[in-house]
Amino acid sequence: MADDQHEEVSKKVSAEEEIRRGITVMRRVVQGRSRGIILDVYWNNQGQLIEPNGHTLTSFIGALVRNEIPITCDDWRNKELNESKEKIWSEIKRCFNIEEERRGFCMKLAGKLLRGFRTFLSSKFLKDADGNFVDAELPKKYESLISAEEWEAFKSKRQDPVFQRISATNRERASSPAYPYRKGRVGYGRLEQSMLQKEESSETSLPAHVLWKEARVGKSGVPQEEVLHVYQKCEELSQSLSPDDTKGILSRALDVPEYSGRVRGKGFGVIPTSLSIKKGKAPSNRELHARLEAMQAELYALRREREASASTVYRDASDKNSINCTFQPNIPEGISHCQLYLSSPYYRMVSKGKVHNVSGVLLHTRELPAGCLKVSVDIAVEPNAALPYPSDDSDATTVHEAVGSFVAWPTNLICVGYETPTKSKSKDNAIPRHTESTVSRKELQENEVSNASVQQKKEVSNASARVKSSCAKKTVARKKPTTKYRSCLRTFLEMTDIPTGGVRTVHMEVGIFGFDYDQMIGNEDFMQVFSHEEIGVTVVNTYIRFLYDKLMRPNGLDVSFGFLAPATVNLGLILSRPDTVTEYVLRILMDNKDAEKLFFIPFNTGGHWLLLAINPIREIVYYLDSLGNDWTTYPDMKVLIDTVLQAFRAQRDIQTSRRGANSITWIKVACPQQRNQIDCGYFMLRFMRDTLALGRLMIPTDYFEEFKCAFYTKDQVDEIKEEWCQFMIELNVFS
């Protein structure tokens, strides 16, 4: 008997010794809140909690629920718990930057953690190695959380025959799983996040069966043969099932019954509605056939309408009686610059381009219509003008849609050498005619620049309001930006020596970076914008000149905002010549020490652009990274900025406590995120553009409400390109 008692006591001691980790109280979070540090939390597209701070929030909720909810609570839906739940949610919001709509997730997570805590207490203290009940005393570790009365009631509940029967059934069901989960506390959401980051994928989610397989890979890194068999079956099913199928691929492969509302292979927090999975019966073959017939009928109707429209345009443009023009062009052989005209409903120039008068030339593998030549459209003077022969291959019907492509054009409406043909010799309709010898290339360029400058003044004079309306949430459709300035600038460059190695300069005055110099710009820089490549420091600097000239100085924002040169402040120089970088940044800050100002630093890490926005007076650094990285990814950058701000504080003779000496605040802004490996530079430029458009010195943690979005669209990136090209034309860099 004594031996049995000694064995029972030893089991209790060993159970407590096994629990080496103390009670989680999350002092770091509470102390950070006292210093004004509110942690940001992030969610994936399915509404699951992810890093950074996902694990911290989960642990914090677990600590709260253990303190606020008694372990005798078996029904989480009990209305008597509403007051305690409200207190838990209030504490969460005090320590974390979290939206109100996330309350449901957090409360479900709290209930799950409470059940886990009760199971832990029961298995560790109330059962021996064989699963038999042990009448244990309240563990000293949990005396601050659990009263003696609660512990006795908890033990009594565990001895109830009904409870033990249910527990045995659940234990039997969960024992010896065929495909055990092997990722511990990571969870599917954070597992998916780590997989996407490791693969550097632009996707936002992974198929359920891919996650399911990875979650069952242990430390060896090799999945079991049974797991691979299920995975292969899922791959085969994914090729044959319809996207509208309401039963998941993984469920079909496992061939097991599902719980209502469950999405297998996605983990806690994911329900069918979060994945936009529609409940209901899949469409029948008859319904699909009817849809197909309706779509085909609509397609045929559109084709007939287009053919009728094209024939009308052809008649208007080709009927000689309707062409009030006596000019018959003499088009030389080869490729020549030209102006393109239309005669209906009135005679006018609609575009510029090049005419290809080459023997045997074809248009998209077809012969040219009679009386026409092949032309390439480079500049759309009248973008909405209808083409005389719409292109069947590119679906282009207007001049704007044909920019950058080849079309057929009547020879009597083509003017070589940028000549202006005459109409009839009527005094009222006479148009002056110029020959190629009387119009020099320089005059042509000056005329184009003049026209572009007038247009630029109209479009950029109120740039702040236009930028604000381009990204803000609106109820009307936004007009898709054109490529007219890119096409125009490219045409001008082809007439210079820049494509063959020539360079030009753009003057950067002292007010931009704190020193004046001439920025060299060459063909490689232009091609980065034309071909949508990763942009370099030259494009960044010249776009900053655009922001300075068009947004800052006209609106008086140069007293509130400033720039630091990215060629001087970058990761490469920080690592090789930190003293040079420190001296430059500190000089700029001290030159502006008397007024609060926000300084933009377009920061290059060696292959990626991000933005630092520094308010030196308030000692705040805003960190905007379109890849979602944290500033801890670049520790040398943070050390240098902190050192400069501390030196700035010392030179201003600002007294602070020893504890506050390192109180520089870094804020990670939830800015739009890029979806490829190229757009980081364009995103960084838009971050500066958005901030200047609003003129605010504080950047919200969740980004500006007026410009908030998950990512910038292609049209929004193209706006940056168009503004840059338009500005280059205005500066006449090709002269």
Side-chain angles (χ1 to χ4, degrees):
M1 183 68 178
D3 292 340
D4 293 341
Q5 291 179 349
H6 177 73
E7 183 180 356
E8 183 177 336
V9 172
S10 65
K11 288 179 180 177
K12 294 180 185 178
V13 174
S14 63
E16 292 206 35
E17 288 179 349
E18 186 180 345
I19 309 167
R20 299 176 182 176
R21 183 172 154 221
I23 300 174
T24 303
V25 294
M26 304 300 291
R27 291 192 181 92
R28 179 175 64 86
V29 176
V30 178
Q31 291 173 356
R33 180 187 65 194
S34 302
R35 297 195 301 268
I37 299 175
I38 307 299
L39 300 179
D40 292 325
V41 289
Y42 300 88
W43 314 80
N44 62 16
N45 286 358
Q46 290 85 42
Q48 291 175 299
L49 193 60
I50 57 176
E51 299 298 340
N53 299 325
H55 180 74
T56 303
L57 176 58
T58 302
S59 299
F60 185 71
I61 293 175
L64 288 176
V65 78
R66 287 192 291 272
N67 278 279
E68 299 297 331
I69 308 296
I71 59 174
T72 54
C73 170
D74 291 329
D75 186 3
W76 183 247
R77 294 169 294 184
N78 192 333
K79 293 183 179 180
E80 295 180 0
L81 300 178
N82 287 348
E83 184 177 349
S84 298
K85 291 180 181 179
E86 188 63 37
K87 186 175 181 180
I88 292 173
W89 178 240
S90 177
E91 287 296 312
I92 292 173
K93 291 202 297 183
R94 290 180 62 192
C95 299
F96 294 86
N97 185 13
I98 191 168
E99 302 86 353
E100 187 67 30
E101 56 265 26
R102 303 295 183 182
R103 173 171 179 158
F105 177 93
C106 292
M107 290 299 102
K108 290 179 182 178
L109 180 58
K112 177 184 176 183
L113 294 172
L114 178 62
R115 292 194 301 274
F117 182 53
R118 291 201 306 266
T119 302
F120 164 77
L121 292 174
S122 179
S123 60
K124 290 296 181 183
F125 299 105
L126 300 182
K127 292 181 181 179
D128 58 18
D130 298 327
N132 299 318
F133 179 79
V134 176
D135 189 10
E137 295 181 357
L138 174 63
K140 292 183 179 180
K141 180 187 295 186
Y142 299 105
E143 288 179 347
S144 60
L145 301 178
I146 305 170
S147 66
E149 293 79 9
E150 289 177 354
W151 181 251
E152 293 301 323
F154 179 70
K155 290 194 299 182
S156 176
K157 179 69 174 179
R158 260 47 187 175
Q159 296 181 72
D160 183 77
V162 176
F163 176 85
Q164 290 186 349
R165 185 168 61 252
I166 297 174
S167 178
T169 302
N170 292 336
R171 186 165 54 252
E172 178 66 24
R173 184 179 62 184
S175 63
S176 302
Y179 315 103
Y181 180 86
R182 298 183 180 276
K183 294 300 181 183
R185 302 175 63 192
V186 173
Y188 281 97
R190 293 197 286 271
L191 174 63
E192 181 179 53
Q193 181 186 22
S194 65
M195 291 174 65
L196 290 172
Q197 290 177 348
K198 184 177 180 180
E199 298 173 1
E200 298 183 352
S201 173
S202 59
E203 299 294 332
T204 57
S205 63
L206 295 171
H209 65 280
V210 175
L211 276 176
W212 180 88
K213 186 195 78 169
E214 186 65 23
R216 279 145 187 85
V217 177
K219 294 182 179 180
S220 65
V222 180
Q224 296 178 352
E225 185 177 349
E226 296 83 359
V227 173
L228 285 177
H229 176 72
V230 175
Y231 176 76
Q232 293 297 335
K233 191 173 181 181
C234 290
E235 288 288 290
E236 295 172 2
L237 288 172
S238 65
Q239 303 298 324
S240 58
L241 290 180
S242 166
D244 296 329
D245 201 306
T246 56
K247 187 174 182 181
I249 293 174
L250 184 57
S251 298
R252 288 180 177 272
L254 293 172
D255 194 22
V256 292
E258 291 289 9
Y259 300 102
S260 176
R262 176 175 183 175
V263 180
R264 185 176 288 274
K266 284 294 185 178
F268 177 77
V270 179
I271 57 178
T273 54
S274 64
L275 296 178
S276 301
I277 298 177
K278 298 180 180 180
K279 296 182 179 180
K281 184 180 178 181
S284 64
N285 291 337
R286 180 177 298 179
E287 291 172 336
L288 292 174
H289 185 68
R291 291 182 192 177
L292 180 60
E293 288 183 342
M295 293 174 63
Q296 288 177 337
E298 183 178 357
L299 178 61
Y300 292 150
L302 289 173
R303 284 181 177 175
R304 286 194 297 270
E305 181 180 349
R306 179 182 164 190
E307 290 171 358
S309 175
S311 63
T312 303
V313 174
Y314 171 79
R315 286 193 300 270
D316 290 342
S318 60
D319 186 357
K320 292 184 178 180
N321 293 329
S322 67
I323 300 177
N324 187 19
C325 176
T326 61
F327 176 69
Q328 296 296 326
N330 183 17
I331 300 176
E333 292 185 358
I335 302 175
S336 309
H337 290 280
C338 65
Q339 295 175 341
L340 303 174
Y341 284 74
L342 287 179
S343 60
S344 176
Y346 59 92
Y347 194 79
R348 79 279 189 202
M349 182 181 69
V350 295
S351 66
K352 295 183 180 182
K354 302 182 189 71
V355 56
H356 296 248
N357 189 14
V358 181
S359 177
V361 68
L362 300 177
L363 180 65
H364 306 303
T365 70
R366 298 185 181 91
E367 292 185 358
L368 289 164
C372 294
L373 287 175
K374 178 180 178 179
V375 301
S376 61
V377 181
D378 296 330
I379 304 172
V381 178
E382 186 178 320
N384 296 324
L387 294 174
Y389 294 88
S391 173
D392 292 331
D393 295 83
S394 62
D395 292 331
T397 59
T398 65
V399 171
H400 165 66
E401 293 171 346
V403 170
S405 62
F406 294 96
V407 296
W409 209 278
T411 55
N412 59 342
L413 296 176
I414 300 174
C415 307
V416 177
Y418 297 112
E419 297 178 76
T420 304
T422 58
K423 293 185 181 182
S424 63
K425 296 182 180 180
S426 168
K427 292 182 180 181
D428 296 335
N429 296 328
I431 297 178
R433 176 179 174 181
H434 304 279
T435 62
E436 186 174 3
S437 61
T438 61
V439 182
S440 68
R441 177 181 297 174
K442 184 174 181 180
E443 290 173 344
L444 169 67
Q445 293 172 353
E446 290 175 351
N447 290 336
E448 292 296 332
V449 172
S450 177
N451 294 336
S453 299
V454 173
Q455 182 68 16
Q456 169 127 6
K457 290 177 182 179
K458 293 180 181 179
E459 297 184 1
V460 184
S461 60
N462 195 15
S464 177
R466 192 189 73 220
V467 170
K468 190 180 299 184
S469 63
S470 68
C471 277
K473 297 178 180 178
K474 339 183 248 305
T475 58
V476 295
R478 181 168 53 88
K479 184 178 180 180
K480 184 176 181 179
T482 66
T483 60
K484 59 181 180 181
Y485 291 108
R486 272 174 283 173
S487 301
C488 183
L489 180 60
R490 196 163 193 168
T491 300
F492 289 153
L493 292 178
E494 290 176 356
M495 297 185 287
T496 70
D497 63 340
I498 292 178
T500 59
V503 295
R504 300 294 187 270
T505 59
V506 175
H507 184 67
M508 306 291 288
E509 59 184 78
V510 67
I512 302 176
F513 293 138
F515 55 91
D516 67 327
Y517 72 102
D518 289 329
Q519 175 70 58
M520 305 293 290
I521 185 169
N523 189 61
E524 179 183 355
D525 306 305
F526 290 104
M527 292 308 298
Q528 289 170 359
V529 178
F530 295 154
S531 304
H532 192 69
E533 301 171 356
E534 296 182 22
I535 58 175
V537 69
T538 299
V539 176
V540 172
N541 286 345
T542 47
Y543 188 81
I544 288 175
R545 165 76 191 274
F546 161 76
L547 294 176
Y548 184 79
D549 283 5
K550 301 303 178 182
L551 289 184
M552 285 180 59
R553 197 158 47 182
N555 299 313
L557 295 177
D558 51 333
V559 299
S560 302
F561 296 90
F563 300 98
L564 292 175
T568 306
V569 187
N570 56 66
L571 190 58
L573 283 177
I574 287 177
L575 296 176
S576 60
R577 289 183 288 171
D579 294 340
T580 301
V581 181
T582 302
E583 181 182 353
Y584 166 67
V585 178
L586 186 58
R587 176 177 69 82
I588 298 298
L589 299 188
M590 289 302 299
D591 289 345
N592 298 270
K593 65 179 180 178
D594 297 326
E596 184 176 355
K597 200 168 184 177
L598 190 68
F599 289 91
F600 296 117
I601 304 181
F603 193 85
N604 193 284
T605 65
H608 172 60
W609 286 102
L610 57 88
L611 179 66
L612 299 177
I614 302 178
N615 188 327
I617 300 294
R618 295 181 179 269
E619 297 186 351
I620 296 176
V621 182
Y622 298 100
Y623 179 90
L624 296 90
D625 189 342
S626 58
L627 285 181
N629 294 325
D630 196 79
W631 56 76
T632 55
T633 308
Y634 314 105
D636 298 285
M637 172 195 72
K638 185 178 186 301
V639 169
L640 184 134
I641 298 299
D642 287 346
T643 301
V644 170
L645 290 180
Q646 290 170 2
F648 177 70
R649 179 200 302 158
Q651 292 195 20
R652 291 172 60 231
D653 197 22
I654 301 298
Q655 302 297 325
T656 182
S657 63
R658 181 176 299 178
R659 177 177 296 180
N662 296 320
S663 61
I664 297 170
T665 303
W666 283 70
I667 298 176
K668 181 180 179 181
V669 179
C671 53
Q673 300 292 286
Q674 68 187 84
R675 300 192 297 175
N676 56 37
Q677 301 300 317
I678 298 175
D679 287 348
C680 59
Y682 298 106
F683 275 53
M684 179 270 297
L685 296 179
R686 280 204 70 107
F687 297 155
M688 294 191 291
R689 184 176 181 262
D690 292 350
T691 307
L692 290 173
L694 297 175
R696 301 175 190 168
L697 296 180
M698 296 180 62
I699 303 178
T701 305
D702 56 349
Y703 206 57
F704 300 110
E705 185 66 28
E706 294 86 342
F707 302 122
K708 187 182 297 184
C709 55
F711 57 88
Y712 290 131
T713 64
K714 179 181 181 299
D715 292 347
Q716 290 171 310
V717 171
D718 284 347
E719 288 179 17
I720 299 293
K721 298 178 182 179
E722 282 292 281
E723 285 180 338
W724 185 83
C725 292
Q726 186 177 1
F727 190 59
M728 292 299 103
I729 293 173
E730 185 184 39
L731 293 178
N732 198 12
V733 295
F734 42 81
S735 62

